[in-house]
Amino acid sequence: MNLPILSILIFLPLIGVFFLVFTKGTEEFIIKTSFKVSLITSVLTFLISIFLWINFDNSISSFQFVHEKKWIKDFINYKVGIDGISLVFILLTTLIVPICIISTINSVKFRIKEFLMSLLLIETLMLGVFCSLDLFIFFLFFEAGLIPMFIIIGIWGGEKRVYSAFKFFLYTLFGSVFMLIAIIFIFYEYGTLDVTKLLILDIDKNYQNYLWLGFFASFAVKTPMWPFHTWLPDAHVEAPTSGSVILAAILLKMAGYGFIRFSIGLFPHASIYFAPLIFTLSIIAIIYTSLIALMQQDMKKLIAYSSVAHMGFVTLGIFVFNGNGLAGSIFQMISHGIVSAALFLCVGVVYDRMHSRKILDYGGVVNKMPRFSTLFLIFILASIGLPGTSGFIGEFLILLGVFKNNYFVALIAALGVVLSACYGLWLYKRVIFGKIVNSRINELVDLNKKELLVLTFLVLLSLILGVYPNIILDTVSVSTNNIIYIFNEKTNIKMTFND
């Protein structure tokens, strides 16, 4: 294909941003135009990603739709391309952004044009991360995503928005400094930043540990792994609904993608060496943050801590070095992207009506919002991994992979599944059931057509993936097998996708 379809995909939202910059007129006209332009732009981007999916060849492991241009002579090439792993994250990104734009109608009350511009900008940057085939280009997209999210939290957030925005920015920026140093070292030592070349290059074992730590410093903060997770609850609580959805559904997944693409792909020996560290931090994240979630009185903060626990499963699955763990981690990230987005949207629905996220302010919601209560229950069940939902598939594959690697670690990780049921059902019971003790509950109205359409769509998506997970697994299978093959060749550890 001669058409640079990936570059069109990446920069189409940016064209929408530039169009909005020059939109002028009355406030009402600007708001309506901004919604139309941003929604049309994001939907077109989603349709392009569907086009990529339809035309993607699942039978080959090499990167497809590659587009390369020289940028800075003898140093940086703009190079993009995708494999099956990249593709599923692109689909998730382009699916979530239109939903965020639709939800903005209720969650943002001022400077709506600027907010929508920020959403489109961050979509471009997130897509760039999943398409980049040059380490420096990856770094630029990866770090530039901090800027619009910083703006979203800092301007449209809650009472402590400035504190939370700066905490988010400084934590993530600090970690990425070490990744930049590692990237510079790789260039001067090997003369290239081309990911396709580096993946087949056997980087010196004497360097791998240090380079792995450089990338880990950035990915661990953004995942976020314990104990680098403390910025996440504050960011989620203060961010507007759309900001929380983007943060949980996509931004956290960029680091998981980085672990798979770079930590495992470029530094396999170091990954084996540091695997016990990852196991320890992941298990602590699963158990510790689940216990913290049980004690939360803020719905957003509870879901934020649950995200840390779920991402603990992801990192655990990646570093068990077998096909089930790797496939499960990818599936878990896609599932969590859908379910966590839905949970934050559900919190946004009741917050728009009650202007409170405190669990104690609720109770008896089912009496006034039966449709909402039904859909919210399905998302809670998907979050705790009920069979038949997407949440079950990822956790099952991860635990299967971990069990083959270490029985004891698998047993402890399985306790996280029980704990997720505890805090998930406990949240649902306190919010939805019981007597109406707050008179404001009587004023609640059930889901409107827009809210019902969005949440129903996400429910169907979670159920479809739960019943037919091969939609994702078939797309990523060849790419995961290729990662495993390269890993085998470099480390002599033998494993297969169906290990």
Side-chain angles (χ1 to χ4, degrees):
M1 182 177 293
N2 295 324
L3 189 68
I5 188 68
L6 284 184
S7 294
I8 295 173
L9 173 80
I10 294 169
F11 294 108
L12 180 58
L14 198 59
I15 295 175
V17 172
F18 283 120
F19 189 89
L20 291 181
V21 167
F22 298 103
T23 300
K24 296 181 179 180
T26 63
E27 183 177 357
E28 182 180 358
F29 174 79
I30 290 175
I31 292 174
K32 288 183 178 180
T33 303
S34 297
F35 273 116
K36 288 180 181 178
V37 170
S38 57
L39 189 57
I40 290 172
T41 303
S42 62
V43 170
L44 286 175
T45 307
F46 175 66
L47 292 177
I48 293 175
S49 70
I50 295 296
F51 173 82
L52 290 173
W53 192 22
I54 293 172
N55 289 275
F56 185 80
D57 188 348
N58 286 333
S59 65
I60 60 177
S61 60
S62 59
F63 290 96
Q64 302 177 41
F65 308 106
V66 175
H67 178 222
E68 183 175 9
K69 290 290 183 182
K70 287 189 178 296
W71 185 23
I72 300 176
K73 187 178 180 180
D74 299 326
F75 180 36
I76 301 171
N77 287 338
Y78 168 80
K79 185 175 183 180
V80 292
I82 61 171
D83 63 358
I85 299 171
S86 306
L87 179 58
V88 294
F89 287 108
I90 288 171
L91 289 167
L92 178 65
T93 302
T94 57
L95 172 69
I96 292 298
V97 171
I99 291 174
C100 289
I101 291 172
I102 294 172
S103 69
T104 299
I105 296 174
N106 292 331
S107 62
V108 177
K109 306 299 182 183
F110 65 96
R111 292 187 176 274
I112 294 175
K113 183 181 84 168
E114 288 78 5
F115 185 86
L116 294 171
M117 288 168 60
S118 298
L119 285 181
L120 291 177
L121 175 58
I122 203 170
E123 181 177 21
T124 282
L125 300 173
M126 293 186 299
L127 290 172
V129 166
F130 299 126
C131 295
S132 295
L133 290 181
D134 181 278
L135 277 181
F136 191 78
I137 298 299
F138 170 82
F139 178 81
L140 289 181
F141 281 121
F142 194 74
E143 292 311 303
L146 295 177
I147 300 172
M149 183 53 65
F150 173 81
I151 293 172
I152 287 173
I153 298 173
I155 295 178
W156 292 280
E159 294 180 0
K160 297 181 180 180
R161 58 185 179 275
V162 175
Y163 166 79
S164 298
F166 273 97
K167 187 176 182 179
F168 158 75
F169 190 87
L170 292 175
Y171 261 67
T172 51
L173 181 64
F174 178 77
S176 297
V177 169
F178 297 98
M179 182 167 71
L180 178 60
I181 295 172
I183 289 173
I184 293 172
F185 179 86
I186 289 173
F187 175 76
Y188 280 104
E189 185 66 26
Y190 297 100
T192 184
L193 294 176
D194 189 320
V195 173
T196 57
K197 295 177 181 178
L198 291 172
L199 286 174
I200 60 176
L201 182 67
D202 196 1
I203 295 176
D204 194 325
K205 295 180 184 179
N206 295 323
Y207 300 143
Q208 280 198 26
N209 285 2
Y210 301 106
L211 295 173
W212 188 94
L213 287 172
F215 280 77
F216 172 79
S218 179
F219 297 153
V221 172
K222 277 197 175 71
T223 302
M225 297 183 71
W226 182 92
F228 312 104
H229 68 287
T230 57
W231 62 268
L232 183 66
D234 291 326
H236 270 311
V237 168
E238 299 304 324
T241 299
S242 298
S244 293
V245 170
I246 285 287
L247 186 58
I250 313 296
L251 284 181
L252 302 188
K253 310 307 180 291
M254 296 194 309
Y257 172 81
F259 274 128
I260 296 171
R261 179 71 72 213
F262 303 115
S263 298
I264 299 292
L266 301 184
F267 319 118
H269 294 286
S271 295
I272 295 172
Y273 179 80
F274 287 109
L277 171 66
I278 297 293
F279 285 2
T280 302
L281 297 182
S282 298
I283 288 297
I284 293 174
I286 292 170
I287 303 301
Y288 175 69
T289 56
S290 293
L291 293 173
I292 293 178
L294 275 169
M295 302 178 66
Q296 297 307 308
Q297 296 300 318
D298 184 297
M299 286 188 284
K300 262 194 173 185
K301 189 167 284 190
L302 187 151
I303 298 171
Y305 279 112
S306 76
S307 293
V308 179
H310 282 99
M311 291 305 292
F313 276 100
V314 169
T315 51
L316 193 62
I318 292 172
F319 286 90
V320 295
F321 309 121
N322 62 53
N324 289 324
L326 185 59
S329 293
I330 296 169
F331 196 96
Q332 176 75 347
M333 284 191 277
I334 300 301
S335 172
H336 181 261
I338 296 168
V339 175
S340 65
L343 288 173
F344 279 113
L345 287 172
C346 287
V347 174
V349 166
V350 292
Y351 180 80
D352 290 336
R353 291 158 170 77
M354 293 277 290
H355 301 290
S356 173
R357 294 184 300 268
K358 298 297 181 183
I359 297 173
L360 293 176
D361 290 337
Y362 292 87
V365 171
V366 67
N367 297 296
K368 297 297 179 180
M369 303 178 69
R371 290 184 297 186
F372 168 82
S373 301
T374 302
L375 295 176
F376 188 36
L377 175 61
I378 297 174
F379 293 128
I380 290 291
L381 295 176
S383 178
I384 66 181
L386 184 76
T389 66
S390 60
F392 171 76
I393 303 298
E395 288 186 354
F396 175 77
L397 287 174
I398 290 170
L399 289 174
L400 185 62
V402 176
F403 185 81
K404 290 177 179 290
N405 184 286
N406 190 308
Y407 297 160
F408 181 69
V409 173
L411 178 63
I412 299 176
L415 294 177
V417 178
V418 178
L419 289 174
S420 69
C422 293
Y423 62 69
L425 295 176
W426 181 235
L427 168 67
Y428 189 80
K429 176 184 180 297
R430 289 181 289 173
V431 173
I432 302 300
F433 294 129
K435 296 181 180 179
I436 298 178
V437 295
N438 187 342
S439 60
R440 295 174 61 191
I441 297 294
N442 291 312
E443 302 173 5
L444 291 177
V445 293
D446 212 346
L447 299 172
N448 58 40
K449 291 182 180 180
K450 172 185 71 70
E451 295 166 338
L452 182 62
L453 178 65
V454 169
L455 293 178
T456 301
F457 173 74
L458 292 175
V459 161
L460 292 175
L461 196 56
S462 178
L463 294 178
I464 290 171
L465 292 180
V467 174
Y468 189 66
N470 285 343
I471 296 174
I472 301 296
L473 297 178
D474 287 346
T475 303
V476 304
S477 62
V478 174
S479 299
T480 52
N481 275 331
N482 186 52
I483 290 175
I484 291 169
Y485 173 78
I486 295 173
F487 190 90
N488 288 345
E489 290 297 310
K490 293 181 179 180
T491 63
N492 295 319
I493 294 180
K494 301 304 178 184
M495 55 184 179
T496 62
F497 180 73
N498 295 314
D499 188 88

